Amino acid sequence: MNVVLIDDEQIALDFFELQLKEMDHVNVLGAFTNPSEGMEVILKENVDVAFLDIHIPGEDGVALARRLLRENPELIIVFVTAHEQYAVHAFELNAVDYIVKPVGKDRLKATISRVQKKLVKKRMEKTNTEKDVLHVQLSKQFQLHKQGKDDEPIRWRTTRTKELFLLLLHNRGTSVYKDEIIELLWPDVEVEKANAQLYTTVYHIRRVIQQLGNHFTLENCTNGYVLYTRHVRIDVEVWERTVDQLPSLRGENLESYEQAMVHYQGSYLQDHSFVWAISEAERLDRKWIQIALNIAYQYDQEGNVSKAIHWNNTICERYPDVEEAHFNLMKHFAYEGKSAYVDFQYNTLVQSLEEELGVAPSSYVVKWYERWKSNKDNYRVNDLRTITGEIDEDA
C-alpha cells in the first residue's frame, strides 16, 4: 500500500515514518510537515492511505481530510494525534482508525492490518462492479456491451422499438408522456392505432431489457413511462463529466484533455435522424468543438505546430462547417509558405459552408484570403501570432 504522512512535529514524523518503513507491503511516498505539499502528493500520486495529525498549521487534520476526500473519495484516512477527544470527528469522516500518540508498534500493526483488509474489500468491490457494468455508446453510433464480454448484438424487433428505448434512455430517470411519444414516433397514425403500437413497442422493450440483466427498469407512471438505469456507463456522460472536472486548459494538462476527448467519438446518435436528439447533439458538438479549438490554440501558444494542425484538421473532418478551424489551417499553411494548401483549405471552406449551411465565408476570412493572395511572400516571413491576430483587425 502507498502511504503519505502529514504531521507538524518533525521528530514524531520521522519516528512514525521509520516504523512504517519496517513493515511489509508498506511504501511511504512522503512525510510532510507542510499540509499543502502533502496534499499535492496525495492528489497526484496513487496514494492508498493518508496518516494525518489533527493539529497541523493552517487548518486542522479533519478539515484537510474533508478536502482530500472530496477530491479522492477512495482515499483511506487514519488520524494520528495526542488528543483523544477528537475521535468523534474522525469517525464522522469514516476514518479507518484513530491512533493516539505515542504510537506503539503493535498498535500500528493492528492499524495496518485493518487498512489492508479495507483495501482488499474495496478492490474486490471495484472488480465486481466493473464486471457488472453495461457500457452504452451514444456518440457516433449506438452500442451496448458488458465489460470483458463478447455478447451477441441486441436484436430490436422494429426500428420504433429501438427508437423508443433510446428516447426513454435519453430522458432516463424522468417521465416521458404517452402523448409525447406518439407525437414523436407515430405523428400521422390514428390515435387508437398509435396507442396499440405504443403498447406493443413497450412490450418488446421490456423483453429486450430482460436480456440485459438488472441494468434497466421500465416503469409505468401517470400517462407515461420512466426508464431507470443501474451500473450503466454512458460514453457521452463520461466524456462530459471528465472535461467538466478538469482544471482550466493549460500546457500541463493538455494530455488529460486529449485523453478525455476520445470518449466523444462523434455526434450524439449520429447514425440516426431522431428529431428529439437534435438539440442535445448540437449542444454536445458545440462543447467538443470549443474544447478542440482551445486545445489547438494552446498548442499554437506552445509552438507545437504539428499538434495544432492535427487538432484543426480533426475538427474540419468531423464538422466541415467550423470556419475557425479552416481559417487556423489557412494561416498555418500561409506561414509555412504552402500556397497550394492555403488555396485548397479556402476552397474547401467555401464548398463546405455552401453545402452545409448555404452561406459564404465570413467577410474577415475572405478579406484575409484576398490580402494573402496579393502578398504571399510577405506573409511567409511574418510571425504566426501576427497572422493569427489579424482576425481581430478584420472582423
Side-chain angles (χ1 to χ4, degrees), residues 111-124:
T111 297
I112 294 300
S113 177
R114 185 177 296 178
V115 169
Q116 285 175 331
K117 289 177 182 177
K118 183 80 170 177
L119 284 172
V120 169
K121 184 180 178 182
K122 279 177 173 284
R123 285 163 185 164
M124 287 179 65

Side-chain angles (χ1 to χ4, degrees), residues 113-323:
S113 177
R114 185 177 296 178
V115 169
Q116 285 175 331
K117 289 177 182 177
K118 183 80 170 177
L119 284 172
V120 169
K121 184 180 178 182
K122 279 177 173 284
R123 285 163 185 164
M124 287 179 65
E125 288 174 350
K126 185 176 180 182
T127 300
N128 291 336
T129 301
E130 287 176 350
K131 286 180 180 177
D132 193 41
V133 169
L134 181 72
H135 294 260
V136 180
Q137 180 180 327
L138 295 179
S139 63
K140 194 171 184 178
Q141 58 183 325
F142 168 50
Q143 288 185 342
L144 297 168
H145 64 276
K146 280 195 175 184
Q147 183 73 22
K149 291 191 71 175
D150 188 20
D151 293 334
E152 287 286 325
I154 297 296
R155 299 189 182 279
W156 302 92
R157 182 66 179 266
T158 64
T159 56
R160 286 287 181 262
T161 304
K162 184 178 182 180
E163 181 175 0
L164 180 53
F165 173 79
L166 286 169
L167 174 62
L168 294 168
L169 183 63
H170 176 78
N171 294 282
R172 54 197 171 277
T174 59
S175 301
V176 184
Y177 295 111
K178 294 176 184 177
D179 290 346
E180 179 185 352
I181 295 171
I182 289 173
E183 182 64 30
L184 288 169
L185 273 65
W186 297 281
D188 301 320
V189 178
E190 188 268 330
V191 175
E192 187 175 339
K193 187 176 181 182
N195 274 298
Q197 291 181 341
L198 172 59
Y199 296 140
T200 302
T201 304
V202 168
Y203 168 76
H204 290 311
I205 289 175
R206 292 190 193 280
R207 294 195 63 181
V208 168
I209 64 179
Q210 282 177 357
Q211 302 172 37
L212 299 170
N214 60 354
H215 292 290
F216 298 104
T217 303
L218 180 58
E219 293 185 1
N220 292 61
C221 61
T222 306
N223 298 319
Y225 303 94
V226 56
L227 184 71
Y228 296 101
T229 61
R230 181 175 181 271
H231 295 324
V232 173
R233 185 180 173 92
I234 300 174
D235 64 340
V236 292
E237 278 189 350
V238 172
W239 169 70
E240 190 162 27
R241 183 170 60 248
T242 303
V243 295
D244 285 348
Q245 290 175 350
L246 286 171
S248 298
L249 181 60
R250 296 185 298 274
E252 60 266 26
N253 56 34
L254 268 169
E255 187 176 345
S256 296
Y257 270 88
E258 288 188 295
Q259 290 172 353
M261 293 290 272
V262 172
H263 290 290
Y264 193 64
Q265 299 179 26
S267 293
Y268 184 69
L269 294 173
Q270 180 177 308
D271 289 352
H272 304 280
S273 301
F274 301 144
V275 173
W276 49 264
I278 291 175
S279 62
E280 180 68 352
E282 290 178 345
R283 184 186 72 82
L284 292 169
D285 284 348
R286 285 195 300 270
K287 190 167 189 172
W288 187 93
I289 291 166
Q290 189 56 59
I291 295 172
L293 286 169
N294 290 343
I295 291 172
Y297 175 79
Q298 188 63 46
Y299 276 123
D300 258 343
Q301 296 303 297
E302 297 190 351
N304 193 333
V305 176
S306 62
K307 291 288 282 187
I309 289 176
H310 164 76
W311 273 98
N312 282 305
N313 263 325
T314 301
I315 298 167
C316 292
E317 288 169 4
R318 280 202 189 186
Y319 307 100
D321 60 339
V322 179
E323 186 175 62

